[in-house]
């Protein structure tokens, strides 16, 4: 058995005696062994984490490319209604959530390095199709829907990346490692929303740069990310590793669907990650419809408010590793409960600012100007909501492996072969659970934009008010579930006694 810690190691050196090896594999991996971790494991894990972050970051950018580009489609001559634009924003999230389970199963089936390369290459499909479609104003809406759906490939990357990194790190460091991996990916949302307007020439940072003389060129973003997809594919292939110890049959992995904690954590993850990705996807359109100004803002005459949308995704991404670190220190359940409490309070404050707005600001510039006076409090309160979703994302992902590890420890005697086997099995099951939980949680990214589009509500503000009222009630339920299942010390065998 060999440990590969040289990225230039040959396939022959990596080959395992089983005969299933076709690339670089590590067959001796013991992250829970302190000596192994300090002398050899840490460096390998960090290298794989770094390239995993890059590939996942790119996946998130492609996944959310429609969130900001949809705001430019009407300016380019596409006659789409607000409801249709929200559908384009929501579809990638639906497909991305459905792909998370098969993407998770692919890690032990093909190897983390191999699948990272394949999943990065798949991003060529949505990026190239996007670049072609946006150049033709006659492209029908149904074609845009199909192309937007393929952007869901980027959403599947998250699950496989998290499942892969979960195998590399010891239990005591999973919270911070998974939080950092997820945060690096989540930052792709903020960067696509921040830089796409600059890349396509529609307007510059904060709308303070005029459109280019050639107008808006959305296809530039598609070609740019297609090129980056090729870079991510090559980087994964040459610099990452497969773990021979991360082997599990799909039947063994999917046993977690019969575990009640899988569904409880999936429910909570809808509240944290589902809110993060759903708000991130909808925010550019949400701001534009409620705080409208002409686009792009003429140089020196004002600020195009929708370009502040990236701040939410940036803050939510940055606070995700903080949530993992806090969970490592104080317990994931306590931090998750605090995150939901913050989301309840500040979602209500966001709702309060929206109630001050006048509907249909596009109908009258005077109305738009009046609404814009409430933009600063709206943005500040929404930023805190994003911060809480990031903290909750980090803490819930700390809880998942902790739950399975605690159950393994409680069912076996310390120091026995049964304990060792149970802990190894719990790591594999936790990785599978991450895929299922991530898939269910990501559905929130579809439901939130759809809630904002509400075709039966006359104006965007009313639809938004109804949506935020519903979200607040949901966060209250999530907080109650977190306390009742993981913090209430009603029974001696309660998981609350394990400090999860």
């Amino acid at each position: 058995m060999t440990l590969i810690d040289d990225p230039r190691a040959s396939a022959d050196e990596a080959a395992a005696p089983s005969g299933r090896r076709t690339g670089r594999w590590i067959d001796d991996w013991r992250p829970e062994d302190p000596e192994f971790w300090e002398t050899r494991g840490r460096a390998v894990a960090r290298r794989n984490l770094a390239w995993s972050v890059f590939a996942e970051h790119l996946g998130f950018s492609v996944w959310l490319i429609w969130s900001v580009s949809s705001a430019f489609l009407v300016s380019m001559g596409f006659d789409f209604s607000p409801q249709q634009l929200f559908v384009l924003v929501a579809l990638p999230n639906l497909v991305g959530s459905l792909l998370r389970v098969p993407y998770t199963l692919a890690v032990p089936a093909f190897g983390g390095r191999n699948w990272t390369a394949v999943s990065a290459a798949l991003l060529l499909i949505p990026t190239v199709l996007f670049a072609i479609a946006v150049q033709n104003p006659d492209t029908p809406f149904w074609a845009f829907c199909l192309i937007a759906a393929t952007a869901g490939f980027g959403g599947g990357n998250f699950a496989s990346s998290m499942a892969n990194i979960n195998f590399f790190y010891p239990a005591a460091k999973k919270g911070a490692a998974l939080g950092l991996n997820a945060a690096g990916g989540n930052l792709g949302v903020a960067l696509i929303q921040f830089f796409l307007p600059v890349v396509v020439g529609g307007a510059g940072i904060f709308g303070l740069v005029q459109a280019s003389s050639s107008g808006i060129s959305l296809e530039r973003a598609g070609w740019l990310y297609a090129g980056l997809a090729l870079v991510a594919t090559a980087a994964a292939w040459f610099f990452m590793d497969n773990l021979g110890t991360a082997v599990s049959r799909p039947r063994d992995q999917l046993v977690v669907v019969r575990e009640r904690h899988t569904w409880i954590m999936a429910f909570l993850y809808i509240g944290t990650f589902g809110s993060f990705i759903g708000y991130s996807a909808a925010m550019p359109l949400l701001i534009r419809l409620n705080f409208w100004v002409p686009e792009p803002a003429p140089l020196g005459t004002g600020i195009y408010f929708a370009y502040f949308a990236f701040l939410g995704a940036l803050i939510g991404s940055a606070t995700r590793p903080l949530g993992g670190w806090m969970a490592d220190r104080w317990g994931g359940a306590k931090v998750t409960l605090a995150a939901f409490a913050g989301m309840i309070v500040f979602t209500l404050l966001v709702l309060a600012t929206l109630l001050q707005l006048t509907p249909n600001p596009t109908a009258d510039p005077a109305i738009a100007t009046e609404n814009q006076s409430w933009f600063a409090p709206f943005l500040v309160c929404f930023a805190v909501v994003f911060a809480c979703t990031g903290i909750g994302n980090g803490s819930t992902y700390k809880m998942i492996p902790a739950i399975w590890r605690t159950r393994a420890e409680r069912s076996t005697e310390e120091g026995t072969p049964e304990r060792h086997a149970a802990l190894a099995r719990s790591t594999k099951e936790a990785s599978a659970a991450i895929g299922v939980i991530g898939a269910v949680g990501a559905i929130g990214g579809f439901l939130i934009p759809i809630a904002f589009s509400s075709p039966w509500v006359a104006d965007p503000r009313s639809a938004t008010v109804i949506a935020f009222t519903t979200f607040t009630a949901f966060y209250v339920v999530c907080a109650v579930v977190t306390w009742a299942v993981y913090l209430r010390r009603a029974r001696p065998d309660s998981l609350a006694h394990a400090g999860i």
Side-chain angles (χ1 to χ4, degrees), residues 4-31:
I4 303 169
D5 53 13
D6 181 355
R8 297 168 298 182
S10 67
D12 291 336
E13 292 173 319
S18 67
R20 72 183 280 265
R21 308 295 191 249
T22 58
R24 237 178 34 221
W25 289 81
I26 299 175
D27 291 295
D28 179 21
W29 190 253
R30 293 169 281 115

Side-chain angles (χ1 to χ4, degrees), residues 95-226:
V95 175
S97 67
L98 296 177
L99 288 178
R100 287 189 165 196
V101 171
Y103 269 56
T104 299
L105 298 177
V107 171
F110 303 106
R113 166 254 196 176
N114 294 347
W115 185 250
T116 301
V118 170
S119 62
L122 286 173
L123 298 179
L124 289 169
I125 297 173
T127 52
V128 172
L129 290 177
F130 174 90
I132 294 172
V134 297
Q135 295 182 72
N136 182 9
D138 294 326
T139 304
F141 178 70
W142 64 263
F144 272 111
C145 287
L146 291 177
I147 296 169
T150 65
F153 290 146
N157 284 11
F158 174 83
S160 56
S161 177
M162 295 293 279
N164 184 41
I165 294 304
N166 182 56
F167 283 110
F168 276 95
Y169 278 83
K173 299 182 183 297
K174 287 184 190 292
L178 292 175
L180 184 61
N181 186 55
N186 292 172
L187 278 171
V189 181
L191 262 65
I192 190 69
Q193 293 179 343
F194 185 76
F195 284 114
L196 185 141
V198 180
V199 171
V200 304
I205 298 171
F206 302 133
L208 297 179
V209 178
Q210 288 178 301
S212 66
S213 59
S214 60
I216 301 171
S217 301
L218 277 176
E219 69 274 9
R220 295 177 188 168
W223 296 126
L224 172 62
Y225 278 94

